[in-house]
């Protein structure tokens, strides 16, 4: 095992650095800058499997009194180091160079010219190429012993190295898509400088995890809550591979899932050989939601009822010692991040009280994986593409998409409308969008269909979208149908693209598609006479309406 450590100074894109390193089949971990990342903080010993260190960017200036600081002496000369943006400035600032405020904040594309043809970190990169800059300060004097290795027309010290300490520093961001050869630069650092072999693959992850789970769980019984989503499903299959039928999965029908979803997904789980108990509890959830119209109140009622139903079912499983959860790496980073648990997202830990209540030990087989790695792992484990590529769906489900108080009537209307929208997204074919970050893996995940007539590569519109759904507005408006006046509900359609749900943009869905869906909903779903499309981005809106 070999790993790269990324120290996070609070940049928006630190996680992207992690994903890029993982794409090189090299395992990496992200830690807040203010914590020595290894077990032995006193002796400051660096474990042998750690092959290199990357310092991230930051919203701070190194000149700020309260800027994030790290003792580079702990790592210098012991590991190859790459500083990115703030990281590059921090190295300059602390090693005898100078960083000064520049008159203009430089943000955007720039043309990088490599100074030295044989520089290993720029191997296989043209003499000039596009990079992405985002900084206010500039490095005006290089640190002691540093050599300039690349410049742009406006930023002379765009990249430097301190050869005897094996330190590299880039003022630009190699991790973002707009840096044309960013992936190659990171490969050169990780494989050429840190000498990582790159043997961390999906297959090796599965093999190692199954072995670990076997050792950790022994003959114990384990309980896992399935949600129908990607994370819990992949966690279940991985555990099933390790301990077989000693994994007891519980899948609760809260009545707030999509049309036919409970039955369909339960069937798929059984086909996958999982030992799964389906619990029908829709009535209990409806009862709990009665009279509540405020969003957080609804979330709490749903969360509480879930815990009660799940706990009652779990009590029936004798000798259970473990609760398995589908926690993934972004959740882990989030809860220990520099900024602290983010204030920008709603509490997603709807069942946060569950582990304490049940008095079980926690096992989280996916805690080191990013979302795209979870999907890849799922595919390698033979889970159907249909399940793997499902959009995220909130725990409280349609309960927060019927705005205001949830009634059976409104819920039924919403289920029908949602079904029409989602089915059409699955059948409507669209041109493969340019990969959002230019890296091939994501594109391959979409498995496009080649349309010989047009020469275009097509995918279902559903797959070009990060998340989609319908919302039932709690107001009625006037319409006319045949000769009759109607007074019915409005359905809003929502479709967004996003990387992680923290920010999102509305999808520019073709008009003809919107027309078809609107027609079908108004004609087929009784109780709806108007359809709108939500064209708000996050921020300032959120993905869900409640
Ligand atoms: P927002 O609405 O905050 O949503 O922009 C961001 C992402 O989180 C999902 N979401 C939830 N997921 N429980 C969940 O499990 C919740 O209470 C919850 N609220 C929002 C939302 O669907 C989107 O993917």
């Amino acid at each position: 095992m070999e790993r790269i450590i990324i120290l996070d100074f609070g940049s928006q894109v630190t996680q992207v650095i992690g994903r890029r390193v993982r794409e090189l089949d090299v395992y990496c971990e992200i830690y807040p800058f203010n914590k020595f990342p290894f077990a032995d903080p006193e002796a400051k010993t660096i474990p042998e499997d750690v092959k290199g260190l990357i310092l991230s960017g930051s919203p701070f200036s190194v000149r700020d009194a309260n800027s994030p600081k790290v003792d580079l002496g702990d790592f210098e000369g012991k590991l190859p180091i790459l500083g990115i943006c703030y990281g590059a400035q921090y190295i300059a600032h602390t090693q005898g160079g100078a960083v000064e405020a520049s008159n203009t904040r430089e943000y955007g594309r720039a043309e990088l010219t490599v100074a030295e043809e044989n520089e290993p970190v720029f191997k296989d990169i043209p003499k000039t190429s596009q990079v992405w800059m985002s900084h206010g300060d500039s490095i005006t004097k290089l640190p002691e012993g540093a050599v300039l290795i690349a410049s742009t027309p406006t930023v002379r010290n765009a990249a430097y190295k301190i050869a005897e300490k094996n330190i590299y520093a880039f003022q630009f961001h190699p991790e973002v898509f707009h840096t044309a050869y960013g992936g190659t630069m990171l490969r050169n650092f990780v494989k050429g400088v840190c000498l990582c072999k790159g043997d961390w693959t999906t297959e090796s992850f599965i093999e190692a995890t199954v072995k670990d789970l076997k050792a950790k769980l022994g003959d114990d019984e384990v309980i896992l809550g399935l949600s129908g989503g990607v994370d819990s499903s992949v966690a279940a299959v991985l555990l099933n591979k390790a301990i077989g039928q000693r994994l007891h999965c519980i899948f609760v029908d809260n009545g707030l899932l999509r049309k036919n979803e409970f039955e369909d997904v339960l069937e798929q789980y059984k086909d996958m050989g999982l030992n799964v108990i389906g619990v029908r509890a829709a009535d209990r959830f409806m009862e709990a939601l009665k009279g509540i119209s405020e969003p957080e109140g609804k979330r709490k009622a749903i969360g509480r009822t879930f815990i009660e139903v799940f706990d009652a079912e779990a009590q029936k499983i004798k000798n259970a010692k473990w609760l398995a959860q589908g926690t993934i790496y972004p959740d882990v980073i989030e809860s220990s991040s520099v900024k602290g648990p983010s204030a920008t997202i709603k509490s997603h830990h709807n069942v946060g009280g569950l582990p304490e209540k049940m008095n079980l030990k926690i096992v989280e087989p996916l805690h080191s994986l990013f979302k795209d790695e979870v999907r890849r792992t799922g595919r390698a484990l033979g889970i159907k593409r249909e399940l793997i590529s499902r959009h995220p769906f909130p725990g409280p489900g349609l309960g927060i998409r019927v705005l205001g108080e949830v009634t059976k009537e409104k819920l039924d209307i919403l289920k029908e409308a949602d079904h029409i929208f989602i089915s059409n997204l699955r059948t409507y074919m669209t041109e493969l969008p340019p990969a959002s970050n230019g890296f091939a893996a994501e594109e391959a995940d979409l498995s496009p269909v080649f349309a010989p007539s047009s020469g275009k590569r097509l995918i279902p519109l559903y797959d070009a979208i990060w998340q989609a759904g319908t919302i039932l507005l709690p107001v009625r408006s006037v319409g006319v149908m045949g000769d009759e006046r109607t007074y019915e509900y409005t359905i809003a359609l929502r479709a967004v693209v996003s990387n992680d749900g923290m920010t999102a943009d509305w999808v520019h869905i073709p008009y003809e598609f919107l027309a078809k869906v609107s027609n079908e909903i108004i004609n087929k779903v009784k109780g709806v006479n108007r359809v709108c499309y939500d064209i708000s981005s996050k921020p300032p809106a959120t993905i869900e309406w409640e």
Side-chain angles (χ1 to χ4, degrees):
M1 181 81 169
E2 50 186 21
R3 57 188 163 132
I4 295 287
I5 299 301
I6 299 163
L7 284 189
D8 181 18
F9 291 110
S11 160
Q12 295 280 342
V13 285
T14 304
Q15 287 197 29
V16 183
I17 306 175
R19 290 181 48 180
R20 294 291 167 258
V21 173
R22 300 269 185 105
E23 279 165 12
L24 299 165
D25 294 335
V26 173
Y27 181 70
C28 65
E29 290 170 350
I30 300 174
Y31 291 98
F33 71 93
N34 50 0
K35 184 176 149 237
F36 185 74
F38 310 113
D40 193 357
E42 292 306 313
K44 301 276 164 93
T45 314
I46 298 172
E48 256 181 41
D49 61 340
V50 176
K51 302 296 178 201
L53 180 72
I54 299 179
L55 309 178
S56 83
S58 173
F60 284 91
S61 157
V62 291
R63 299 172 299 105
D64 293 344
N66 60 345
S67 62
K69 295 175 185 66
V70 58
D71 187 355
L72 279 182
D74 293 345
F75 308 102
E76 231 179 82
K78 301 176 188 167
L79 283 175
I81 300 176
L82 170 64
I84 295 174
C85 196
Y86 178 93
Q89 297 183 348
Y90 186 80
I91 296 166
H93 183 66
T94 52
Q95 307 270 318
V99 175
E100 291 172 35
S102 47
N103 297 335
T104 48
R105 188 180 144 75
E106 195 190 25
Y107 183 82
R109 293 177 176 78
E111 193 162 274
L112 186 82
T113 301
V114 174
E116 165 67 55
E117 296 248 326
N118 296 322
E119 172 48 52
V121 88
F122 293 138
K123 185 167 171 266
D124 300 332
I125 290 166
K127 186 150 176 65
T128 61
S129 67
Q130 180 185 294
V131 295
W132 185 260
M133 290 283 189
S134 172
H135 60 108
D137 291 353
S138 292
I139 300 167
T140 50
K141 178 173 166 246
L142 291 181
E144 277 158 34
V147 178
L148 183 73
I149 54 173
S151 304
T152 72
T154 47
V155 179
R156 183 175 146 71
N157 297 323
Y160 64 84
K161 75 170 174 183
I162 308 174
E164 83 238 22
K165 293 181 183 165
N166 224 352
I167 292 178
Y168 288 81
F170 297 163
Q171 177 60 76
F172 55 89
H173 287 269
E175 71 278 22
V176 305
F177 164 57
H178 307 285
T179 296
Y181 290 87
T184 313
M185 294 175 191
L186 286 172
R187 182 205 68 192
N188 290 341
F189 176 72
V190 167
K191 297 199 168 158
V193 178
C194 303
L195 304 176
C196 288
K197 289 189 288 292
D199 47 14
W200 191 77
T201 60
T202 306
E203 288 67 30
S204 67
F205 168 80
I206 293 173
E207 199 185 308
T209 306
V210 168
K211 197 170 143 216
D212 284 355
L213 288 171
K214 277 185 176 154
K216 185 174 192 171
L217 303 173
D219 291 332
D220 292 350
E221 306 288 319
V222 179
I223 298 175
L224 177 139
L226 282 171
S227 70
V230 181
D231 303 343
S232 65
S233 305
V234 175
V237 175
L238 209 44
L239 279 153
N240 180 258
K241 212 169 148 73
I243 60 165
Q245 301 296 300
R246 271 180 286 119
L247 173 71
H248 305 265
C249 303
I250 299 176
F251 182 33
V252 176
D253 178 12
N254 58 10
L256 305 168
L257 302 175
R258 295 192 141 116
K259 186 181 173 184
N260 301 333
E261 188 170 25
F262 181 70
E263 294 74 14
D264 290 353
V265 174
L266 189 60
E267 208 45 51
Q268 284 183 31
Y269 282 144
K270 287 187 174 154
D271 284 350
M272 280 151 54
L274 295 177
N275 174 13
V276 51
I277 309 151
V279 188
R280 289 180 188 274
D283 292 347
R284 277 190 70 172
F285 283 84
M286 279 310 285
E287 191 56 38
L289 282 167
K290 209 175 247 171
I292 308 176
S293 52
E294 187 267 322
E296 286 305 308
K298 293 201 284 183
R299 275 197 172 76
K300 288 205 180 93
I302 296 167
R304 197 177 47 240
T305 311
F306 180 86
I307 291 176
E308 288 165 14
V309 171
F310 189 90
D311 189 39
E313 208 54 48
Q315 296 296 337
K316 299 179 191 161
I317 299 158
K318 297 286 163 252
N319 302 322
K321 296 233 166 53
W322 298 84
L323 179 68
Q325 295 190 320
T327 315
I328 68 172
Y329 199 42
D331 309 330
V332 176
I333 303 173
E334 181 71 21
S335 58
S336 71
S337 88
V338 179
K339 291 161 271 183
S342 171
T344 55
I345 47 168
K346 293 169 193 152
S347 153
H348 290 182
H349 303 281
N350 311 93
V351 292
L354 195 57
E356 294 82 23
K357 182 170 165 74
M358 299 184 69
N359 199 18
L360 297 170
K361 289 183 278 185
I362 301 289
V363 54
E364 297 173 321
L366 307 177
H367 78 280
S368 66
L369 298 190
F370 288 108
K371 191 84 181 182
D372 51 328
E373 295 169 331
V374 175
R375 292 209 165 96
R376 224 166 292 154
T377 303
R379 251 194 315 278
L381 287 165
I383 303 179
K384 276 204 200 126
R385 185 174 179 280
E386 193 194 333
L387 210 160
I388 297 292
S389 65
R390 296 179 98 193
H391 289 171
F393 188 68
L398 301 182
I400 53 166
R401 293 189 182 165
V402 168
L403 304 192
E405 187 180 355
V406 183
T407 63
K408 174 111 183 27
E409 180 216 4
K410 287 181 180 165
L411 202 54
D412 287 345
I413 292 176
L414 183 63
K415 281 187 187 178
E416 292 304 323
D418 179 78
H419 184 66
I420 291 173
F421 185 36
I422 299 297
S423 313
N424 274 287
L425 285 174
R426 285 198 184 278
T427 50
Y428 186 89
M429 300 302 278
T430 184
E431 210 174 321
L432 182 71
S436 57
N437 49 23
F439 283 75
E442 256 92 346
E443 187 177 295
D445 280 359
L446 293 170
S447 41
V449 178
F450 186 67
S453 55
S454 61
K456 287 178 178 161
R457 296 195 300 157
L458 303 177
I459 54 165
L461 185 51
Y462 183 92
D463 288 336
I465 288 172
W466 194 74
Q467 185 172 12
T470 48
I471 297 100
L472 182 104
L473 310 194
V475 286
R476 285 192 276 187
S477 71
V478 174
V480 57
M481 237 180 187
D483 293 331
E484 273 180 59
R485 212 178 93 105
T486 58
Y487 186 54
E488 294 174 337
Y489 291 116
T490 297
I491 286 286
L493 309 177
R494 183 90 166 122
V496 296
V497 280
S498 173
N499 281 320
D500 50 10
M502 305 280 272
T503 61
D505 201 3
W506 60 280
V507 181
H508 295 220
I509 286 190
Y511 281 172
E512 55 158 344
F513 177 84
L514 290 173
K516 180 165 186 280
V517 170
S518 163
N519 246 326
E520 214 172 311
I521 291 178
I522 292 173
N523 284 329
K524 290 191 183 160
V525 185
K526 240 178 135 249
V528 178
N529 65 356
R530 215 172 272 276
V531 171
C532 300
Y533 185 51
D534 181 352
I535 53 168
S536 353
S537 300
K538 172 182 181 176
T542 46
I543 295 174
E544 303 295 343
W545 281 40
E546 282 195 337

